[in-house]
Amino acid sequence: MAQDRITLKKFDVSSTGENMRDSDLDRVRNLRLFSSMSEPHFAELTSAGFMQKFPAGTTLLFEGDTVDFLYVLLDGVVEMQGSWNDKETTVSVIRPLSLFILSSVVLDAPALMSARTLERSEILMLSADKFRNALRADGAFSLAVAEELAGWNRAMVRQVKNMKLRSASERLANYLLQLQVQQGGVTTLRLLHEKRILASLLGMTPENLSRAFAALSDYGVEVQGNEVRLTILGALRRMAKPSPYIDNHMPPLDHLGGKAERELWPPNDKASKVIFD
């Protein structure tokens, strides 16, 4: 699919604050990252922000770009990509409500990943300069940002351990177990990504992903299109050997969270004991 490059600097961000809806501001305010900010600092930060809707297949920024905004995804799906020597990989897939390019904004450093919309997306864009000013001025906000960055760091450690310590089939099995929890404990799952993206997320080629699905058929995994049935869940768990030090089986939240909250979720409730025991 052809990708349209959006030159974000063409917008006059200083004159677009009036376009932000109060309902969107409330959603952002309730994120853990922003909930501890003082009202004056939150008002100052969002006064220079604006909403933008992007069609699917839009590249928001490329590796190496100067990052002028912190992005808050309110609706849609964004793929974070890395590239080298004519090769591309999916690093992560962002869903609402989430923010991305946080580390580059904090450091005022070039982007290490490209960002591309997979679906029509609505994104709140906050001035990177004002964000850093708020960091310097608001101690509670600075602590919340440090916690969120720590959450992203821990998530990356989990991803690296998953890639280095497990086979392709084991990575896929544990992905399906996490997906099962996220979709409410059902045994018929809907894959969230096309298989090209799923393969890249799990560190495989599409061909290796197909072989991994075939290998899991002995453990009751049946695939039809983007639907996966888990018919022998106990056997799949015994094969996957999920670990709380690699996997995060936090159930869906009924409130807005972030990476920090996901990492602080304790794996000691009844559902997680079933998974990890």
Side-chain angles (χ1 to χ4, degrees):
M1 179 185 297
Q3 297 182 8
D4 297 324
R5 176 74 184 276
I6 299 295
T7 305
L8 300 176
K9 289 183 179 179
K10 70 182 180 183
F11 295 104
D12 180 7
V13 299
S14 64
S15 64
T16 53
E18 67 274 13
N19 293 329
M20 296 180 63
R21 301 185 297 258
D22 288 342
S23 58
D24 293 325
L25 285 176
D26 289 342
R27 295 172 74 192
V28 174
R29 185 63 155 145
N30 287 329
L31 285 170
R32 180 187 179 96
L33 182 67
F34 298 103
S35 63
S36 61
M37 286 188 81
S38 69
E39 285 294 341
H41 290 138
F42 183 74
E44 173 66 17
L45 174 62
T46 55
S47 67
F50 62 98
M51 300 296 303
Q52 184 71 19
K53 294 180 180 179
F54 299 97
T58 300
T59 297
L60 302 170
L61 77 163
F62 290 95
E63 289 182 44
D65 278 357
T66 299
V67 180
D68 297 318
F69 303 98
L70 177 71
Y71 300 84
V72 183
L73 179 64
L74 298 176
D75 190 35
V77 183
V78 172
E79 178 186 13
M80 308 302 297
Q81 298 174 312
S83 62
W84 177 78
N85 199 27
D86 296 326
K87 297 178 182 178
E88 281 189 345
T89 189
T90 301
V91 178
S92 62
V93 174
I94 309 297
R95 295 180 177 274
L97 266 117
S98 301
L99 47 89
F100 53 98
I101 312 295
L102 176 59
S103 59
S104 292
V105 169
V106 170
L107 294 174
D108 193 11
L112 294 181
M113 296 180 285
S114 301
R116 180 175 71 96
T117 58
L118 294 179
E119 299 176 3
R120 185 176 183 275
S121 299
E122 187 171 17
I123 297 174
L124 169 62
M125 304 166 68
L126 301 173
S127 163
D129 286 337
K130 285 186 176 293
F131 187 89
R132 287 188 291 271
N133 289 340
L135 277 179
R136 299 183 187 100
D138 192 318
F141 177 54
S142 296
L143 177 59
V145 171
E147 290 175 344
E148 188 68 10
L149 288 169
W152 281 97
N153 176 265
R154 285 176 61 88
M156 189 61 66
V157 170
R158 292 179 187 276
Q159 183 177 357
V160 171
K161 290 174 68 177
N162 188 46
M163 295 289 186
K164 288 181 172 289
L165 296 174
R166 287 170 169 163
S167 67
S169 297
E170 290 167 341
R171 295 198 297 275
L172 177 59
N174 279 284
Y175 171 82
L176 294 175
L177 290 177
Q178 291 183 62
L179 192 62
Q180 192 238 356
V181 173
Q182 292 166 8
Q183 296 188 359
V186 298
T187 55
T188 298
L189 313 178
R190 179 179 60 85
L191 295 178
L192 301 179
H193 316 296
E194 60 180 277
K195 290 179 180 177
R196 172 192 65 82
I197 292 177
L198 177 57
S200 189
L201 280 172
L202 295 176
M204 310 178 199
T205 64
E207 294 76 17
N208 285 339
L209 179 64
S210 296
R211 284 193 285 269
F213 269 120
L216 293 185
S217 63
D218 291 340
Y219 302 93
V221 175
E222 300 176 358
V223 186
Q224 187 170 11
N226 71 337
E227 188 175 280
V228 178
R229 293 184 62 225
L230 308 180
T231 62
I232 318 175
L233 196 55
L236 185 64
R237 285 178 180 149
R238 288 190 293 273
M239 177 268 182
K241 298 183 179 66
S243 165
Y245 305 112
I246 300 177
D247 310 295
N248 191 319
H249 291 274
M250 186 183 76
L253 294 175
D254 59 1
H255 62 281
L256 306 181
K259 285 291 185 182
E261 184 165 5
R262 186 171 181 82
E263 284 300 321
L264 289 171
W265 173 74
N268 57 7
D269 64 359
K270 292 181 180 179
S272 61
K273 285 181 179 178
V274 171
I275 294 168
F276 294 122
D277 282 354

Coordinates of all heavy atoms in Angstrom, one line a residue, residues 127-200:
S127 N 2.7 19.7 21.8 CA 4.0 20.3 21.5 C 5.1 19.6 22.4 O 5.0 19.5 23.6 CB 3.9 21.8 21.8 OG 5.2 22.3 22.0
A128 N 6.2 19.1 21.8 CA 7.3 18.5 22.5 C 8.0 19.5 23.4 O 8.4 19.2 24.5 CB 8.3 17.9 21.5
D129 N 8.1 20.8 22.9 CA 8.7 21.8 23.7 C 7.9 22.1 25.0 O 8.5 22.2 26.1 CB 8.9 23.1 22.9 CG 10.0 23.0 21.9 OD1 10.9 22.2 22.0 OD2 9.9 23.8 20.9
K130 N 6.6 22.2 24.9 CA 5.8 22.4 26.0 C 5.8 21.2 27.0 O 5.7 21.4 28.2 CB 4.3 22.8 25.6 CG 4.2 24.2 25.0 CD 2.8 24.6 24.8 CE 2.6 26.0 24.3 NZ 3.0 27.0 25.4
F131 N 5.9 20.0 26.4 CA 5.9 18.8 27.2 C 7.2 18.9 28.1 O 7.2 18.6 29.3 CB 5.9 17.6 26.3 CG 5.8 16.3 27.0 CD1 4.6 15.7 27.3 CD2 7.0 15.6 27.4 CE1 4.5 14.5 28.0 CE2 6.9 14.4 28.1 CZ 5.7 13.9 28.4
R132 N 8.3 19.2 27.5 CA 9.6 19.3 28.3 C 9.5 20.4 29.3 O 10.1 20.3 30.4 CB 10.8 19.4 27.3 CG 11.1 18.1 26.5 CD 12.4 18.3 25.7 NE 12.3 19.2 24.6 CZ 11.8 18.8 23.4 NH1 11.5 17.6 23.2 NH2 11.8 19.7 22.4
N133 N 8.9 21.5 28.9 CA 8.7 22.6 29.9 C 7.9 22.1 31.1 O 8.3 22.5 32.3 CB 8.1 23.8 29.3 CG 8.9 24.5 28.3 OD1 10.2 24.4 28.3 ND2 8.3 25.3 27.4
A134 N 6.9 21.3 30.9 CA 6.1 20.8 32.0 C 6.9 19.9 32.8 O 6.7 19.8 34.0 CB 4.8 20.1 31.4
L135 N 7.8 19.1 32.2 CA 8.6 18.2 33.0 C 9.5 19.0 34.0 O 9.7 18.5 35.1 CB 9.5 17.4 32.0 CG 9.0 16.2 31.3 CD1 10.1 15.6 30.4 CD2 8.6 15.1 32.3
R136 N 10.0 20.1 33.5 CA 10.9 20.9 34.4 C 10.1 21.6 35.5 O 10.7 21.8 36.6 CB 11.6 21.9 33.5 CG 12.5 21.3 32.4 CD 13.3 22.4 31.7 NE 14.0 21.9 30.6 CZ 13.5 22.0 29.3 NH1 12.4 22.6 29.0 NH2 14.2 21.5 28.3
A137 N 8.9 21.9 35.2 CA 8.1 22.7 36.2 C 7.2 21.9 37.1 O 6.9 22.4 38.2 CB 7.2 23.7 35.4
D138 N 6.9 20.7 36.8 CA 5.9 19.9 37.6 C 6.5 18.6 38.0 O 6.7 17.7 37.3 CB 4.7 19.6 36.7 CG 3.5 19.1 37.4 OD1 3.7 18.3 38.3 OD2 2.3 19.5 37.1
G139 N 6.8 18.6 39.3 CA 7.5 17.4 39.9 C 6.7 16.1 39.8 O 7.2 15.0 39.5
A140 N 5.4 16.2 40.1 CA 4.5 15.0 40.1 C 4.4 14.5 38.7 O 4.4 13.3 38.4 CB 3.2 15.4 40.6
F141 N 4.4 15.4 37.7 CA 4.3 15.0 36.3 C 5.6 14.3 35.9 O 5.6 13.3 35.2 CB 4.0 16.2 35.4 CG 4.0 15.9 34.0 CD1 3.2 14.9 33.4 CD2 4.8 16.7 33.1 CE1 3.2 14.7 32.1 CE2 4.7 16.4 31.7 CZ 3.9 15.4 31.2
S142 N 6.7 14.9 36.3 CA 8.0 14.3 36.0 C 8.1 12.8 36.5 O 8.6 11.9 35.8 CB 9.2 15.1 36.6 OG 9.2 16.4 36.0
L143 N 7.6 12.6 37.7 CA 7.6 11.3 38.3 C 6.8 10.3 37.5 O 7.1 9.2 37.2 CB 7.2 11.3 39.7 CG 7.1 9.9 40.5 CD1 8.4 9.2 40.5 CD2 6.5 10.1 41.9
A144 N 5.6 10.8 37.1 CA 4.7 10.0 36.2 C 5.4 9.6 34.9 O 5.2 8.5 34.4 CB 3.4 10.7 36.0
V145 N 6.1 10.6 34.3 CA 6.8 10.3 33.0 C 7.9 9.3 33.3 O 8.1 8.3 32.5 CB 7.3 11.6 32.4 CG1 8.2 11.3 31.2 CG2 6.2 12.5 32.0
A146 N 8.6 9.4 34.4 CA 9.7 8.4 34.7 C 9.1 7.0 34.9 O 9.6 6.0 34.4 CB 10.4 8.8 36.0
E147 N 7.9 6.9 35.5 CA 7.3 5.6 35.7 C 6.8 5.1 34.4 O 6.9 3.8 34.1 CB 6.1 5.8 36.6 CG 6.5 6.1 38.1 CD 5.3 6.3 39.0 OE1 4.2 6.6 38.4 OE2 5.4 6.3 40.2
E148 N 6.3 5.9 33.5 CA 5.8 5.4 32.2 C 7.0 4.9 31.3 O 6.9 3.9 30.7 CB 5.1 6.5 31.5 CG 4.4 6.1 30.2 CD 3.2 5.1 30.4 OE1 2.8 4.9 31.6 OE2 2.7 4.6 29.4
L149 N 8.1 5.7 31.4 CA 9.3 5.2 30.6 C 9.8 3.9 31.2 O 10.3 3.0 30.5 CB 10.4 6.3 30.7 CG 10.1 7.5 29.8 CD1 11.1 8.6 30.2 CD2 10.2 7.2 28.4
A150 N 9.8 3.8 32.5 CA 10.2 2.5 33.1 C 9.3 1.3 32.7 O 9.7 0.2 32.5 CB 10.1 2.6 34.7
G151 N 8.0 1.6 32.5 CA 7.1 0.6 32.0 C 7.4 0.2 30.6 O 7.4 -1.0 30.3
W152 N 7.8 1.2 29.8 CA 8.2 0.8 28.4 C 9.5 0.0 28.4 O 9.6 -0.9 27.6 CB 8.4 2.1 27.6 CG 7.1 2.7 27.1 CD1 6.3 3.7 27.6 CD2 6.4 2.2 25.9 NE1 5.2 3.9 26.9 CE2 5.2 3.1 25.8 CE3 6.6 1.3 24.9 CZ2 4.3 2.9 24.8 CZ3 5.6 1.2 23.9 CH2 4.5 2.0 23.8
N153 N 10.4 0.4 29.3 CA 11.7 -0.4 29.4 C 11.4 -1.8 29.8 O 12.0 -2.7 29.2 CB 12.6 0.3 30.4 CG 13.9 -0.4 30.7 OD1 14.0 -1.2 31.6 ND2 14.9 -0.2 29.8
R154 N 10.6 -2.0 30.8 CA 10.3 -3.4 31.3 C 9.6 -4.2 30.1 O 9.8 -5.4 30.0 CB 9.4 -3.4 32.5 CG 10.2 -3.0 33.8 CD 9.3 -2.9 35.0 NE 8.6 -4.1 35.3 CZ 9.1 -5.1 36.1 NH1 10.3 -4.9 36.6 NH2 8.4 -6.2 36.3
A155 N 8.7 -3.5 29.4 CA 8.0 -4.2 28.3 C 9.0 -4.6 27.3 O 8.9 -5.7 26.7 CB 7.0 -3.3 27.7
M156 N 10.0 -3.8 27.0 CA 11.1 -4.1 26.0 C 11.9 -5.3 26.5 O 12.3 -6.2 25.7 CB 11.9 -2.9 25.7 CG 12.9 -3.1 24.5 SD 12.0 -3.5 23.0 CE 11.2 -1.9 22.7
V157 N 12.2 -5.3 27.8 CA 13.0 -6.4 28.4 C 12.2 -7.7 28.2 O 12.8 -8.8 27.8 CB 13.3 -6.2 29.9 CG1 13.9 -7.5 30.5 CG2 14.3 -5.0 30.0
R158 N 10.9 -7.7 28.4 CA 10.1 -8.9 28.2 C 10.2 -9.4 26.8 O 10.3 -10.6 26.5 CB 8.6 -8.6 28.6 CG 8.4 -8.4 30.1 CD 6.9 -8.0 30.3 NE 6.6 -7.7 31.6 CZ 6.3 -8.5 32.6 NH1 6.4 -9.8 32.4 NH2 6.0 -8.1 33.8
Q159 N 10.1 -8.4 25.9 CA 10.1 -8.7 24.4 C 11.5 -9.4 24.1 O 11.5 -10.4 23.3 CB 9.9 -7.5 23.6 CG 9.8 -7.7 22.1 CD 9.5 -6.5 21.3 OE1 9.2 -5.4 21.9 NE2 9.5 -6.6 20.0
V160 N 12.6 -8.8 24.6 CA 13.9 -9.3 24.2 C 14.1 -10.8 24.8 O 14.5 -11.7 24.1 CB 15.0 -8.4 24.8 CG1 16.4 -9.1 24.7 CG2 15.0 -7.1 24.0
K161 N 13.6 -11.0 26.0 CA 13.7 -12.3 26.6 C 12.9 -13.3 25.9 O 13.3 -14.5 25.6 CB 13.3 -12.3 28.1 CG 14.2 -11.6 29.0 CD 13.7 -11.4 30.4 CE 13.6 -12.7 31.1 NZ 13.1 -12.6 32.5
N162 N 11.7 -12.9 25.4 CA 10.8 -13.7 24.7 C 11.5 -14.2 23.4 O 11.4 -15.3 23.0 CB 9.5 -13.0 24.4 CG 8.4 -13.9 23.7 OD1 8.2 -15.0 24.2 ND2 7.8 -13.4 22.7
M163 N 12.1 -13.2 22.7 CA 12.8 -13.5 21.4 C 14.0 -14.4 21.6 O 14.2 -15.3 20.8 CB 13.2 -12.2 20.7 CG 12.1 -11.3 20.3 SD 11.1 -12.0 18.9 CE 10.1 -10.6 18.6
K164 N 14.8 -14.2 22.7 CA 16.0 -14.9 22.8 C 15.9 -16.3 23.5 O 16.7 -17.2 23.3 CB 17.0 -14.0 23.6 CG 17.6 -12.8 22.8 CD 18.5 -12.1 23.7 CE 19.2 -11.0 22.9 NZ 20.2 -11.5 21.9
L165 N 14.9 -16.5 24.3 CA 14.8 -17.7 25.1 C 13.8 -18.7 24.6 O 13.8 -19.8 25.1 CB 14.4 -17.3 26.5 CG 15.4 -16.4 27.3 CD1 14.9 -16.0 28.7 CD2 16.7 -17.2 27.5
R166 N 13.0 -18.3 23.6 CA 11.9 -19.2 23.2 C 12.0 -19.5 21.7 O 12.5 -18.7 20.9 CB 10.5 -18.6 23.5 CG 10.2 -18.6 24.9 CD 8.9 -17.8 25.2 NE 8.4 -18.0 26.6 CZ 7.6 -17.2 27.2 NH1 7.1 -16.2 26.6 NH2 7.2 -17.5 28.4
S167 N 11.5 -20.7 21.3 CA 11.4 -21.0 19.9 C 10.2 -20.3 19.3 O 9.4 -19.7 20.0 CB 11.2 -22.5 19.8 OG 9.9 -22.9 20.3
A168 N 10.1 -20.4 18.0 CA 9.0 -19.7 17.3 C 7.7 -20.2 17.8 O 6.7 -19.5 18.0 CB 9.2 -19.9 15.8
S169 N 7.5 -21.5 17.9 CA 6.3 -22.1 18.4 C 5.9 -21.7 19.8 O 4.8 -21.4 20.1 CB 6.3 -23.6 18.3 OG 6.5 -24.1 17.0
E170 N 6.9 -21.6 20.7 CA 6.7 -21.2 22.0 C 6.3 -19.7 22.1 O 5.4 -19.3 22.9 CB 8.0 -21.4 22.9 CG 8.3 -22.9 23.1 CD 9.7 -23.1 23.7 OE1 10.5 -22.2 23.5 OE2 9.9 -24.2 24.2
R171 N 6.9 -18.9 21.2 CA 6.5 -17.5 21.2 C 5.1 -17.3 20.7 O 4.3 -16.6 21.3 CB 7.4 -16.7 20.3 CG 8.9 -16.6 20.8 CD 9.6 -15.5 20.1 NE 9.8 -15.6 18.7 CZ 10.8 -16.3 18.1 NH1 11.7 -17.0 18.8 NH2 10.9 -16.4 16.8
L172 N 4.7 -18.1 19.7 CA 3.3 -18.0 19.2 C 2.3 -18.5 20.3 O 1.3 -17.9 20.5 CB 3.2 -18.8 17.9 CG 1.8 -18.9 17.3 CD1 1.2 -17.5 17.0 CD2 1.8 -19.8 16.1
A173 N 2.7 -19.6 21.0 CA 1.8 -20.2 22.0 C 1.5 -19.2 23.1 O 0.4 -19.0 23.5 CB 2.4 -21.5 22.5
N174 N 2.6 -18.5 23.5 CA 2.4 -17.6 24.6 C 1.7 -16.3 24.1 O 0.9 -15.7 24.9 CB 3.8 -17.2 25.2 CG 4.3 -18.2 26.2 OD1 3.8 -18.3 27.3 ND2 5.2 -19.1 25.8
Y175 N 1.8 -15.9 22.9 CA 1.1 -14.8 22.3 C -0.4 -15.2 22.4 O -1.3 -14.4 22.8 CB 1.5 -14.5 20.9 CG 0.6 -13.6 20.2 CD1 0.7 -12.2 20.4 CD2 -0.4 -14.0 19.3 CE1 -0.1 -11.3 19.8 CE2 -1.3 -13.1 18.7 CZ -1.1 -11.8 18.9 OH -2.0 -10.9 18.3
L176 N -0.8 -16.4 22.0 CA -2.2 -16.8 22.0 C -2.8 -16.9 23.4 O -3.9 -16.5 23.6 CB -2.3 -18.2 21.3 CG -2.0 -18.2 19.8 CD1 -2.0 -19.7 19.3 CD2 -2.9 -17.3 19.0
L177 N -1.9 -17.3 24.4 CA -2.4 -17.3 25.7 C -2.7 -15.9 26.3 O -3.7 -15.6 27.0 CB -1.4 -18.0 26.6 CG -1.3 -19.5 26.4 CD1 -0.2 -20.1 27.3 CD2 -2.7 -20.2 26.7
Q178 N -1.8 -14.9 25.9 CA -2.0 -13.6 26.3 C -3.3 -13.0 25.6 O -4.1 -12.3 26.2 CB -0.8 -12.7 26.0 CG 0.4 -13.0 26.8 CD 1.6 -12.1 26.5 OE1 1.5 -10.9 26.7 NE2 2.7 -12.7 26.1
L179 N -3.4 -13.3 24.3 CA -4.6 -12.9 23.6 C -5.9 -13.4 24.2 O -6.9 -12.7 24.2 CB -4.4 -13.3 22.1 CG -5.4 -12.6 21.1 CD1 -5.2 -11.1 21.1 CD2 -5.2 -13.2 19.7
Q180 N -5.8 -14.6 24.7 CA -7.0 -15.3 25.2 C -7.5 -14.5 26.5 O -8.7 -14.3 26.7 CB -6.7 -16.7 25.6 CG -7.9 -17.5 25.9 CD -7.9 -18.2 27.3 OE1 -6.9 -18.0 28.0 NE2 -9.0 -18.8 27.7
V181 N -6.5 -14.1 27.3 CA -6.9 -13.3 28.5 C -7.4 -11.9 28.1 O -8.4 -11.5 28.6 CB -5.6 -13.1 29.4 CG1 -5.9 -12.2 30.6 CG2 -5.2 -14.5 30.0
Q182 N -6.8 -11.3 27.1 CA -7.2 -10.0 26.7 C -8.6 -10.0 26.1 O -9.3 -8.9 26.1 CB -6.1 -9.4 25.7 CG -4.8 -9.1 26.4 CD -3.7 -8.9 25.3 OE1 -4.0 -8.8 24.1 NE2 -2.5 -8.8 25.8
Q183 N -9.0 -11.1 25.5 CA -10.3 -11.2 24.9 C -11.3 -11.8 25.8 O -12.4 -12.3 25.3 CB -10.2 -11.9 23.5 CG -9.3 -11.1 22.5 CD -9.3 -11.7 21.1 OE1 -10.0 -12.7 20.8 NE2 -8.6 -11.1 20.2
G184 N -11.0 -11.8 27.1 CA -12.0 -12.2 28.0 C -12.1 -13.6 28.4 O -13.1 -14.1 29.0
G185 N -11.1 -14.4 28.1 CA -11.0 -15.8 28.5 C -11.7 -16.7 27.5 O -11.9 -17.9 27.8
V186 N -12.1 -16.3 26.3 CA -12.7 -17.1 25.3 C -11.7 -18.1 24.8 O -10.5 -17.9 24.9 CB -13.3 -16.3 24.2 CG1 -14.4 -15.3 24.7 CG2 -12.3 -15.5 23.5
T187 N -12.2 -19.1 24.1 CA -11.4 -20.1 23.5 C -11.4 -20.0 22.0 O -10.7 -20.7 21.3 CB -11.8 -21.6 23.9 OG1 -13.1 -21.8 23.6 CG2 -11.5 -21.8 25.4
T188 N -12.2 -19.1 21.4 CA -12.1 -18.8 20.0 C -11.7 -17.4 19.9 O -12.4 -16.4 20.3 CB -13.5 -19.0 19.3 OG1 -13.9 -20.3 19.4 CG2 -13.4 -18.6 17.9
L189 N -10.5 -17.2 19.4 CA -9.8 -15.9 19.4 C -9.9 -15.2 18.0 O -10.0 -15.9 17.0 CB -8.3 -16.0 19.8 CG -8.0 -16.9 21.0 CD1 -6.5 -16.9 21.2 CD2 -8.7 -16.3 22.2
R190 N -9.9 -13.9 18.0 CA -9.7 -13.2 16.8 C -8.4 -12.5 16.7 O -8.0 -11.7 17.6 CB -10.8 -12.1 16.7 CG -10.8 -11.2 15.4 CD -11.9 -10.2 15.4 NE -11.8 -9.3 16.6 CZ -11.0 -8.2 16.6 NH1 -10.3 -7.9 15.5 NH2 -11.0 -7.4 17.6
L191 N -7.6 -12.9 15.7 CA -6.3 -12.3 15.6 C -6.4 -10.8 15.3 O -7.2 -10.4 14.5 CB -5.5 -12.9 14.4 CG -5.1 -14.4 14.7 CD1 -4.4 -15.0 13.4 CD2 -4.3 -14.6 15.9
L192 N -5.6 -10.0 16.0 CA -5.8 -8.5 15.9 C -5.0 -7.9 14.7 O -5.3 -6.8 14.3 CB -5.2 -7.9 17.2 CG -5.9 -8.3 18.5 CD1 -5.3 -7.6 19.6 CD2 -7.4 -8.0 18.4
H193 N -4.1 -8.7 14.1 CA -3.2 -8.2 13.1 C -3.3 -9.1 11.9 O -3.5 -10.3 12.0 CB -1.8 -8.0 13.5 CG -1.6 -7.4 14.9 ND1 -2.0 -6.1 15.2 CD2 -1.2 -7.9 16.0 CE1 -1.8 -5.9 16.4 NE2 -1.3 -6.9 17.0
E194 N -3.0 -8.6 10.7 CA -2.7 -9.5 9.6 C -1.5 -10.3 9.9 O -0.6 -9.9 10.6 CB -2.6 -8.7 8.3 CG -1.4 -7.7 8.3 CD -1.3 -6.9 7.0 OE1 -0.7 -7.4 6.0 OE2 -1.9 -5.8 6.9
K195 N -1.4 -11.4 9.2 CA -0.3 -12.4 9.6 C 1.1 -11.9 9.3 O 2.0 -12.2 10.0 CB -0.6 -13.7 9.0 CG -1.8 -14.4 9.6 CD -2.1 -15.8 9.0 CE -3.4 -16.4 9.7 NZ -3.8 -17.6 9.1
R196 N 1.2 -11.0 8.4 CA 2.5 -10.4 8.1 C 3.0 -9.6 9.3 O 4.2 -9.7 9.7 CB 2.4 -9.4 6.9 CG 3.7 -8.6 6.6 CD 3.5 -7.5 5.6 NE 2.5 -6.5 6.1 CZ 2.8 -5.5 6.9 NH1 4.1 -5.3 7.3 NH2 1.9 -4.6 7.2
I197 N 2.1 -8.8 9.9 CA 2.5 -8.0 11.1 C 2.7 -8.9 12.3 O 3.6 -8.7 13.1 CB 1.4 -6.9 11.3 CG1 1.4 -5.9 10.2 CG2 1.6 -6.3 12.7 CD1 0.3 -4.8 10.3
L198 N 1.8 -9.9 12.5 CA 2.0 -10.8 13.6 C 3.3 -11.5 13.5 O 4.0 -11.6 14.6 CB 0.8 -11.8 13.6 CG 0.9 -12.9 14.7 CD1 1.0 -12.2 16.1 CD2 -0.3 -13.8 14.6
A199 N 3.7 -12.0 12.4 CA 5.0 -12.7 12.2 C 6.1 -11.7 12.6 O 7.0 -12.1 13.3 CB 5.1 -13.1 10.8
S200 N 6.0 -10.5 12.2 CA 7.1 -9.5 12.5 C 7.2 -9.2 14.0 O 8.3 -9.2 14.6 CB 6.9 -8.3 11.7 OG 8.0 -7.4 11.8

